[in-house]
Amino acid sequence: MGKGAGIRMVANNKKAYHEYFIEDKYEAGVSLAGTEVKSLRMGKCSIKESFIRIERGEVFIYGMHISPYEKGNIFNKDPLRVKKLLLHREEIRKIERQIAEKGMTLVPLQVYFKGSLVKVEIAVARGKKLYDKRQDIAKKDQKREAQRELKDRSRW
């Protein structure tokens, strides 16, 4: 297996599941500086406002906020700097073909450690319309009600 296969979550983008239909998922490495990795190990990362673009055959993530490492002083990088995602060339081509469809976009879903490596799960997604979001909320409410009913019945 080589490197340890332990997966430890750092950041999650729950909003992506609410805003988009997830079509296809990919795992990408991230090109980071040493102090950024140390900050990630402490769990200081946010991908809520981030997005992904493909430029000149390379994939970049914008708006991924990694808080500066406290003991990093001059070695700290800009928290919102553009970071390069590491994918195989064939995967990038496949993603480009999928995004060429109308309404498709790339969104980050989560940031995690896979062994000692920092990975980002990205998804090719289609934007939801307002009525789709309403349907999802209604389903979630029904599920919550059903759970509450079962919980109340089990008490008696």
Side-chain angles (χ1 to χ4, degrees), residues 14-99:
K14 293 179 186 174
K15 190 173 146 186
Y17 290 98
H18 181 71
E19 300 284 329
Y20 301 97
F21 291 114
I22 306 302
E23 303 283 329
D24 215 352
K25 294 180 182 179
Y26 296 91
E27 180 181 74
V30 189
S31 181
L32 296 171
T35 54
E36 290 175 319
V37 176
K38 289 179 179 183
S39 189
L40 280 173
R41 287 200 188 284
M42 293 167 49
K44 304 214 172 165
C45 177
S46 173
I47 55 172
K48 282 186 173 77
E49 300 298 320
S50 59
F51 60 95
I52 299 169
R53 284 203 180 130
I54 300 177
E55 298 167 356
R56 299 179 306 280
E58 294 181 326
V59 185
F60 296 95
I61 185 165
Y62 293 81
M64 177 177 165
H65 187 277
I66 299 176
S67 297
Y69 183 58
E70 284 112 38
K71 299 176 184 109
N73 57 42
I74 62 166
F75 299 106
N76 278 331
K77 303 283 187 201
D78 175 28
L80 287 172
R81 77 180 180 91
V82 178
K83 293 152 194 76
K84 183 177 178 181
L85 296 183
L86 309 171
L87 286 157
H88 291 281
R89 191 171 290 129
E90 288 303 314
E91 287 179 313
I92 294 172
R93 286 189 192 127
K94 185 178 176 186
I95 291 170
E96 280 181 319
R97 284 193 298 270
Q98 289 175 321
I99 289 179

Side-chain angles (χ1 to χ4, degrees), residues 110-121:
Q110 56 188 8
V111 178
Y112 55 94
F113 279 97
K114 190 172 185 181
S116 63
L117 304 174
V118 178
K119 301 286 186 176
V120 176
E121 186 178 41

